Amino acid sequence: YMSEQAMARLTEHAHRFKNEHHSYAGCGHSFPLPTLPPPPNRRVHRVTKQEIAYGGSVEGTAYAAWDSWQQLRRFLKTHLAP
């Protein structure tokens, strides 16, 4: 995955800030804020009319949205708190 390549590059170049990579099993290509309903895992392209599959399950995507929001809140509290 591209995200894993980015993490490897940070390590290779001795990136001076802490970095974390979170990967969620069962999550599709994207997920919304945790207060919004999960997006459909398939859509029909408006122009080509081809079906596009984003993968993942409703449960996996919902969990990724919830957990990533918790991780973001923790990060902001840690690094932006007075």
Side-chain angles (χ1 to χ4, degrees):
Y1 296 109
M2 184 181 268
S3 59
E4 291 168 352
Q5 293 172 346
M7 294 302 292
R9 188 171 176 143
L10 289 172
T11 301
E12 289 168 12
H13 293 277
H15 181 64
R16 65 184 175 128
F17 299 106
K18 180 182 177 194
N19 50 64
E20 295 180 24
H21 178 253
H22 299 269
S23 179
Y24 298 96
C27 180
H29 182 68
S30 65
F31 50 87
L33 293 172
T35 55
L36 299 175
N41 61 3
R42 294 183 182 279
R43 288 193 179 168
V44 175
H45 191 277
R46 291 180 186 169
V47 176
T48 66
K49 305 302 182 201
Q50 292 179 318
E51 184 176 68
I52 301 168
Y54 296 108
S57 66
V58 171
E59 296 83 5
T61 301
Y63 176 75
W66 176 82
D67 186 67
S68 65
W69 188 251
Q70 303 310 310
Q71 299 297 331
L72 175 63
R73 291 178 66 207
R74 179 184 55 80
F75 174 84
L76 293 174
K77 184 177 180 180
T78 301
H79 297 286
L80 298 180

